[in-house]
Amino acid sequence: MAKAKTAFVCDDCGADFTKWQGQCSECGAWNSLKEVRLSSSTRSSGEGVLKGYAGATEAKIQTLQDVSLTEVPRFTSTMGEFDRVLGGGFVPGSVVLVGGHPGAGKSTLLLQSLCKLSQSHRALYVTGEESLQQVAMRAKRLGLPMDRLQVLAETNVESIVNLAQQVAPGIMVVDSIQVVHLADISSAPGSVSQVRECAALLTRFAKQTGTVLILVGHVTKDGTLAGPKVLEHIIDCSIMLEGGHDSRFRTLRGHKNRFGAVNELGVFAMTEQGMKEVPNPSAIFLQRAEEIAPGSVVMATWEATRPLLVEIQALVDSSHGNPRRVAVGMEQNRLAMLLAVLHRHGGLMLGDQDVFVNAVGGVKIMEPSADLALLFALVSSFRDITLPRDLVVFGEVGLSGEIRPVPSGQERLREAAKHGFRRAIVPAANTTKEKIAGLEVIPVKKIDEALSYI
Ligand code: TYD
Ligand code: MG
């Protein structure tokens, strides 16, 4: 049966149609359908990508039970934080998309990983954005081993695949998917049809040869990857490198992973010597004194993209004159509100007391999850009771004294468990079905319930 030589692809979502229509019936965008000429390579093998997934030369039907279960052999990226996000390392034949804003450090991270990997594996770094000199200069400056890494400056996908076939790499990076192109397709590099066809061709190569393929992808202004729908089902693993312009910390987060969990987080710092792993980010902020005093409690806050454990301190002392309310690193208004809630629903009168609160380490906490921890710190200082060292607290306190859930409860609890906390007092709605080893989670619904634990 003759196959259509052209298709209509939506520029917004990547859905394809055989006929032109004014509105994309997948995403509802108007006038977004573009005619694309299918490349000969895609046509010749039909649904080539899917064929590639099977990996077998002869197809046969069998029961699921008969599928031989050999443990997926993984190899390390040479960085523990990277491996964690990947679910334990690279799986041969898998396709990993590393996304992020320009300047996030994608090229640096992958170059570091590949240079080190090249000592034990055949590794190929294809650069389409930077020249070979730029790549070499960076590797030299970072003091990376340069003797074994194969490099190629090329943007034509067909020649990339042809040359790669000769080298037969175990791992290959294509930096980036937005600059590579197929000569057959008339649209510009980075367009949906180019990204789609190039990714399909590269993926087929990876699946057939068992090469680990890493595609670098830039995110657009609205935070999505160019041609997201197109790449979504082709790739096995999608990882985002995120980080603010004002911060040197970068987080690596899995968004999709066929070989592991997606809620793993890797933390790096961009330094003079490139990307440095930060295996223990909470430890930076969580250096507690040997003897903890009343008025101190640890909370799990959410900082941009990761959980962070921060110590909250409060000092409540009888006032001489006008009572003072001072909040450092937290909102003054929230403190005033909490004191009112504490009085009205907790029956605790602090009207004649000076109140000082502080988030240790110069952290600024701008989210309501600090409420419950602040409440504990206040009562602990007022009553002069030391709270247990292994206790972590978070939750929002509502005006009627109810304890409200906060986002990413599971990640916060995991982070606490990772740092040796054994007890957590959290909003009832944040308790998870899934238990976290070694952590006792105590759910609370109302403020009086919470106060009874002190
Ligand atoms: P890069 O890896 O080129 O980002 P991407 O590939 O995601 O666009 O990183 C570029 C930024 O990193 C650049 O702003 C400079 C900074 N940088 C350092 O601070 N230290 C270093 O050692 C390197 C190599 C880069
Ligand atoms: Mg780059």
Side-chain angles (χ1 to χ4, degrees):
M1 198 177 72
K3 278 211 152 220
K5 291 190 176 66
T6 58
F8 293 88
V9 178
C10 171
D11 244 350
D12 280 8
C13 72
D16 58 336
F17 306 91
T18 48
K19 279 203 210 110
W20 189 85
Q21 53 198 59
Q23 186 187 23
C24 170
S25 45
E26 284 293 316
C27 69
W30 286 96
N31 246 341
S32 62
L33 260 54
K34 299 268 157 63
E35 182 170 6
V36 298
R37 209 152 65 82
L38 293 179
S39 69
S40 53
S41 50
T42 316
R43 262 197 331 257
S44 58
S45 54
E47 283 299 304
V49 183
L50 284 179
K51 207 164 122 192
Y53 276 124
T57 40
E58 59 194 88
K60 68 169 188 212
I61 296 175
Q62 55 187 329
T63 56
L64 191 54
Q65 193 182 318
D66 294 338
V67 179
S68 74
L69 281 184
T70 41
E71 183 67 24
V72 236
R74 290 172 183 266
F75 59 90
T76 171
S77 66
T78 71
M79 291 176 175
E81 292 288 293
F82 198 174
D83 282 352
R84 203 142 57 84
V85 180
L86 289 166
F90 295 117
V91 177
S94 66
V95 182
V96 181
L97 176 70
V98 176
H101 288 281
K106 303 178 292 296
S107 306
T108 309
L109 180 73
L110 292 172
L111 184 67
Q112 281 178 252
S113 174
L114 246 68
C115 275
K116 292 192 191 125
L117 256 177
S118 64
Q119 300 300 304
S120 53
H121 294 79
R122 213 185 275 258
L124 173 65
Y125 188 96
V126 182
T127 170
E129 298 193 346
E130 292 165 82
S131 68
L132 291 178
Q133 283 79 7
Q134 282 172 309
V135 175
M137 252 157 58
R138 179 180 295 179
K140 184 149 190 262
R141 197 172 59 71
L142 299 180
L144 296 167
M146 296 165 70
D147 53 333
R148 306 284 295 270
L149 181 66
Q150 314 266 1
V151 285
L152 168 70
E154 179 59 87
T155 54
N156 183 321
V157 170
E158 269 155 342
S159 43
I160 291 174
V161 170
N162 282 340
L163 289 166
Q165 239 141 17
Q166 294 163 21
V167 181
I171 181 163
M172 168 165 134
V173 169
V174 176
D175 188 358
S176 68
I177 189 69
Q178 272 109 5
V179 297
V180 293
H181 61 88
L182 263 168
D184 273 12
I185 299 174
S186 55
S187 55
S191 66
V192 169
S193 44
Q194 281 285 9
V195 167
R196 178 176 111 135
E197 296 299 317
C198 291
L201 192 65
L202 288 165
T203 302
R204 194 159 56 238
F205 166 75
K207 298 284 168 195
Q208 280 166 358
T209 56
T211 308
V212 176
L213 173 67
I214 305 178
L215 301 174
V216 174
H218 291 292
V219 296
T220 51
K221 272 209 199 81
D222 58 358
T224 53
L225 282 156
K229 282 265 162 52
V230 189
L231 291 176
E232 220 165 59
H233 43 260
I234 291 178
I235 56 174
D236 297 307
C237 185
S238 161
I239 290 175
M240 291 290 238
L241 186 63
E242 295 158 339
H245 299 288
D246 48 351
S247 161
R248 65 192 186 94
F249 290 107
R250 303 281 189 273
T251 57
L252 204 58
R253 177 188 280 279
H255 284 255
K256 165 187 174 175
N257 193 349
R258 287 192 178 137
F259 306 107
V262 285
N263 46 12
E264 284 297 353
L265 198 75
V267 182
F268 294 87
M270 180 55 102
T271 68
E272 282 298 296
Q273 288 88 42
M275 298 280 268
K276 278 254 148 64
E277 290 179 65
V278 182
N280 203 353
S282 287
I284 301 169
F285 300 99
L286 200 63
Q287 283 159 355
R288 298 184 91 184
E290 284 290 300
E291 287 258 320
I292 45 173
S296 156
V297 71
V298 170
M299 72 159 299
T301 181
W302 194 253
E303 227 253 329
T305 57
R306 68 201 159 124
L308 188 66
L309 299 174
V310 180
E311 181 182 352
I312 304 290
Q313 291 181 335
L315 180 66
V316 180
D317 195 20
S318 48
S319 169
H320 308 283
N322 258 353
R324 305 190 59 193
R325 272 98 185 79
V326 179
V328 181
M330 276 167 286
E331 283 173 78
Q332 190 88 27
N333 288 343
R334 286 207 90 86
L335 174 61
M337 193 192 86
L338 272 177
L339 289 172
V341 175
L342 200 55
H343 179 216
R344 185 78 162 74
H345 301 286
L348 214 61
M349 176 67 187
L350 300 179
D352 54 350
Q353 307 281 327
D354 281 336
V355 177
F356 303 92
V357 296
N358 177 31
V360 176
V363 201
K364 282 208 164 35
I365 303 170
M366 287 303 165
E367 53 144 17
S369 71
D371 291 357
L372 196 58
L374 204 51
L375 208 78
F376 270 69
L378 289 170
V379 177
S380 148
S381 173
F382 183 61
R383 294 252 168 90
D384 205 25
I385 302 167
T386 307
L387 294 171
R389 199 186 182 90
D390 59 2
L391 173 74
V392 64
V393 181
F394 63 84
E396 179 176 351
V397 176
L399 284 182
S400 49
E402 81 278 21
I403 312 295
R404 309 174 67 96
V406 295
S408 310
Q410 179 82 2
E411 281 93 337
R412 295 181 206 236
L413 289 172
R414 270 188 210 288
E415 179 76 359
K418 203 172 100 185
H419 286 85
F421 287 85
R422 293 287 157 261
R423 274 174 276 191
I425 297 182
V426 302
N430 271 127
T431 49
T432 46
K433 284 160 237 125
E434 205 183 312
K435 280 202 129 186
I436 296 171
L439 188 72
E440 183 197 353
V441 179
I442 304 157
V444 286
K445 284 202 180 93
K446 299 290 280 180
I447 185 170
D448 42 359
E449 221 180 302
L451 293 181
S452 71
Y453 283 102
I454 304 184

